[in-house]
């Protein structure tokens, strides 16, 4: 019996074997199960109550009839995004509702609750997929209470031991996984671990240029690009710049790129080994090559890390380079886009600035958005300032994007902004901790609308799943 942090007990499937003179306790391999549930949006249909689906209502789990004639709310309540188990475990999964809350058991009742992040919550919200009573159906065994299964009783969902009601238990606890009744979680918009997304509209398509994430110490070495016609379906263009073979002066810490377009050429600015480089291509999807053979902004050029570049093209054709970590810098780029006058670099005064400056212009106002706190903190967030020119002076306007723990959204920042063509519709791309179980080096990318008040200030961004 293994005590958990909550004082509950886990029953290990253990057997004792004698090898020679020694006594060895071994954990036997668990039985093999054919059943599995693919991740993504799914619905689960009862095998013995025709037409009834697993759903939540008033924050409790139940089963109820759902059909194509059901209300949008009823169809949404019967749809869950299946994720790898919050507590881990081979073949174990968790179920997230459209409102961001999770199915978990408490007092043996199945409930819908926000992720408290505690070991008990994570275990209570994890179910291991077992074979069901009918061909192709599944049963869901509790991660931390082996032998108890999610089952319906009086149309409510419970975590019952398999010994209850032997006549009906197997069928009461078996479900067929079906196509979802409603759309599930829409994000992350590009699947996998990516961060620091730079979004741009180029050549008739939206492009995303992120950091490839998931490496200890942010030690990744390749940049990828993705493009989309509608911000929903994204095409992976693969590696567009690989530091190892393509950049002579850096091999790792490939972070936070940005893109600019001038005279039919695309300029890709990137952080590498805490310097900033630039690479050029005739296509926004690359391949890009380094025209300088050295950093554009070398490490040590000014105080702080020389990272997180952004290039803003003003309406008069002048391009500006912004960058920094700890201190924010800006300078006019020369017309060649790969050089600047080092004597003209300005240090910007921005309250709480940490990194990721990103500038855009709307209605004659310049907006400088930036990230505050530490990307490893759930409190990492976005603030902004407005100005009358690309160099300011800047008026601090406060926070526009921050965590929403009830949805499991942590550390949403390192933002970029794009305007849909021929419109006043704006979007903000940013990263957050991957859901579930992400952190400052396991982040994922999403996009939400960016809206303005009548006075030109930015409304708080509503982060969605
Ligand atoms: O992704 C590596 C670093 O983390 C970026 O350069 C920072 O802005 C932070 O997001």
């Amino acid at each position: 019996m293994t005590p958990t942090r909550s004082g509950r007990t886990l029953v290990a499937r253990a057997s004792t074997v004698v090898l020679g003179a020694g006594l060895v306790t071994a954990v036997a391999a668990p039985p093999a199960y054919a059943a599995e549930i693919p991740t993504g949006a799914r619905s689960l249909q009862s095998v013995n109550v025709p037409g009834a689906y697993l759903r939540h209502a008033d924050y409790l789990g139940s089963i109820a009839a759902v059909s194509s004639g059901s209300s949008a709310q009823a169809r949404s309540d019967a749809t869950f995004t299946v994720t790898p188990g919050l507590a881990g475990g081979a073949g174990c999964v968790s179920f997230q509702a459209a409102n961001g809350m999770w199915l978990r058991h408490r007092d043996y009742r199945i409930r819908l609750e926000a992720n408290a992040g505690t070991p008990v919550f994570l275990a209570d919200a994890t179910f291991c997929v077992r074979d069901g009573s009918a061909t192709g159906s599944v049963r869901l065994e509790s991660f931390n209470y082996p032998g108890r299964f999610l089952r319906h009783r009086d149309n409510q969902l419970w975590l019952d031991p398999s010994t209850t009601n032997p006549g009906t238990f197997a069928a009461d606890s078996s479900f067929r996984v079906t196509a979802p009744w409603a759309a599930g979680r829409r994000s992350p918009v590009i699947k996998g671990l990516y961060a620091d997304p730079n979004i741009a509209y180029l050549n008739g398509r939206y492009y995303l240029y992120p950091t490839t994430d998931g490496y200890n110490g942010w030690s990744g070495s390749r940049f990828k690009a993705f493009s989309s016609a509608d911000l929903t379906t994204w095409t992976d263009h693969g590696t567009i710049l690989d530091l190892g073979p393509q950049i002579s002066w850096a091999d790792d810490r490939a972070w936070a790129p940005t893109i600019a377009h001038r005279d039919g050429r695309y300029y890709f600015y990137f952080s590498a080994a805490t310097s900033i480089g630039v690479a050029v291509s005739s296509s926004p999807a690359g391949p890009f090559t380094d025209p300088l053979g050295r950093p554009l902004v070398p490490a040590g050029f000014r105080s702080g890390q020389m990272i997180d570049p952004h290039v803003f093209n003003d309406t008069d054709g002048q391009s500006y380079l912004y960058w920094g970590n700890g201190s924010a810098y800006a300078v006019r780029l020369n017309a060649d886009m790969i050089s600047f006058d080092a004597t003209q670099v300005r240090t910007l005064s921005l309250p709480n600035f940490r990194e990721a400056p990103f500038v855009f212009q709307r209605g004659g106002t310049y907006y400088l958005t930036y990230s505050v706190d530490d990307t490893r903190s759930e409190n990492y967030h976005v603030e902004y300032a407005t100005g009358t020119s690309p160099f300011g002076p800047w008026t601090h306007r406060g926070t526009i994007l921050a965590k929403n723990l009830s949805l499991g959204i942590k550390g949403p920042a390192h933002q970029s902004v794009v305007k849909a063509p021929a419109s006043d519709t704006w979007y903000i791309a940013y990263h957050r901790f991957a859901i579930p179980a992400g952190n400052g080096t396991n982040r994922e990318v999403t996009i939400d609308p960016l809206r303005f008040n009548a006075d030109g200030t930015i409304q708080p961004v509503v982060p969605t799943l």
Side-chain angles (χ1 to χ4, degrees):
M1 304 281 271
T2 307
T4 67
R5 287 196 214 181
S6 67
R8 296 168 179 171
T9 52
L10 291 176
V11 182
R13 288 192 178 87
S15 63
T16 303
V17 293
V18 178
L19 288 177
L23 186 66
V24 178
T25 301
V27 176
Y33 297 101
E36 58 180 2
I37 307 181
T39 56
R42 312 279 169 219
S43 292
L44 287 100
Q45 184 180 27
S46 164
V47 301
N48 61 349
V49 182
Y53 286 78
L54 192 155
R55 63 167 289 178
H56 62 89
D58 298 326
Y59 304 104
L60 292 173
S62 58
I63 58 167
V66 183
S67 69
S68 53
S70 297
S71 68
Q73 187 66 54
R75 284 181 280 131
S76 174
D77 290 349
T79 302
F80 295 89
T81 298
V82 180
T83 74
L86 290 177
C92 302
V93 296
S94 294
F95 298 90
Q96 190 174 31
N99 62 8
M101 294 183 174
W102 299 82
L103 282 185
R104 59 92 55 104
H105 64 83
R106 182 158 57 80
D107 301 328
Y108 305 121
R109 189 79 166 84
I110 302 298
R111 305 163 191 274
L112 194 71
E113 292 186 2
N115 185 354
T118 62
V120 170
F121 182 94
L122 301 180
D124 288 352
T126 299
F127 301 90
C128 302
V129 182
R130 310 298 186 219
D131 296 332
S133 65
T135 305
S137 68
V138 301
R139 298 168 77 201
L140 296 162
E141 185 174 14
S142 167
F143 175 82
N144 52 352
Y145 284 76
R148 283 184 178 260
F149 291 79
L150 187 152
R151 66 88 63 98
H152 66 82
R153 180 155 50 86
D154 301 326
N155 293 326
Q156 300 299 304
L157 290 175
W158 302 86
L159 193 74
D160 277 352
S162 55
T163 47
T164 49
N165 307 94
T168 61
F169 186 88
D172 290 348
S173 59
S174 294
F175 299 87
R176 286 193 176 84
V177 180
T178 71
W181 278 112
R185 189 146 62 81
R186 152 193 85 74
S187 62
V189 295
I190 47 176
K191 305 303 173 203
L193 297 176
Y194 297 96
D196 312 323
N198 185 262
I199 193 165
Y201 190 77
L202 300 166
N203 215 9
R205 286 177 75 79
Y206 295 95
Y207 280 81
L208 272 174
Y209 300 91
T211 296
T212 305
D213 216 20
Y215 299 93
N216 285 337
W218 305 282
S219 57
S221 59
R222 293 193 178 113
F223 291 105
K224 296 180 71 172
F226 301 81
S227 76
S228 172
D230 56 10
L231 294 173
T232 300
T233 304
W234 290 90
T235 301
D236 182 345
H237 294 286
T239 299
I240 58 167
L241 186 70
D242 186 345
L243 296 185
Q246 290 181 260
I247 300 297
S248 59
W249 48 269
D251 286 331
D252 65 2
R253 287 165 287 164
W255 304 342
T258 191
I259 194 87
H261 179 221
R262 176 186 277 256
D263 300 332
R265 311 267 290 163
Y266 296 87
Y267 297 86
F268 182 74
Y269 304 83
F270 56 94
S271 317
T274 67
S275 293
I276 291 172
V278 58
V280 187
S281 175
S282 57
S283 161
F288 288 88
T289 53
D290 177 1
L292 295 176
R294 58 177 166 74
L296 173 64
V297 186
F301 175 74
R302 290 285 189 278
S303 69
Q305 296 186 65
M306 300 297 104
I307 63 170
D308 291 5
H310 167 59
V311 170
F312 165 67
N313 292 329
D314 204 356
T315 45
D316 63 1
Q318 177 64 54
S319 296
Y320 296 80
L321 174 66
Y322 301 81
W323 77 95
N325 169 287
S327 296
Y329 303 104
V331 68
R332 285 188 180 87
L333 278 171
N334 292 333
D336 64 8
M337 300 292 276
I338 59 171
S339 65
F340 60 83
D341 181 345
T343 66
Q344 298 301 310
V345 173
R346 303 184 187 209
T347 303
L348 308 180
S349 176
L350 298 166
N352 312 322
F353 176 85
R354 172 61 67 90
E355 59 197 7
F358 186 100
V359 171
F360 63 96
Q361 193 255 108
R362 175 182 181 267
T365 297
Y366 295 82
Y367 295 80
L368 200 170
T369 62
Y370 54 96
S371 299
V372 177
D373 209 307
D374 189 305
T375 194
R376 292 164 292 191
S377 165
E378 69 179 39
N379 298 319
Y380 194 50
H381 66 276
V382 180
E383 300 188 14
Y384 82 110
T386 56
T388 51
S389 85
F391 288 135
W394 299 108
T395 302
H396 184 230
R397 301 287 184 185
T399 299
I400 50 168
L401 175 60
K403 67 183 176 183
N404 180 337
L405 295 185
S406 69
L407 295 181
I409 294 171
K410 297 178 179 176
H414 203 118
Q415 71 302 329
S416 59
V417 172
V418 70
K419 183 171 88 68
S423 76
D424 189 29
T425 301
W426 296 76
Y427 298 96
I428 183 168
Y430 58 95
H431 73 234
R432 64 184 183 219
F433 286 15
I435 297 174
N439 54 39
T441 52
N442 290 271
R443 300 165 292 178
E444 62 189 16
V445 166
T446 191
I447 301 170
D448 277 309
L450 187 76
R451 299 191 174 93
F452 298 85
N453 295 309
D455 65 1
T457 54
I458 301 176
Q459 295 179 7
V461 176
V462 179
T464 66
L465 296 172

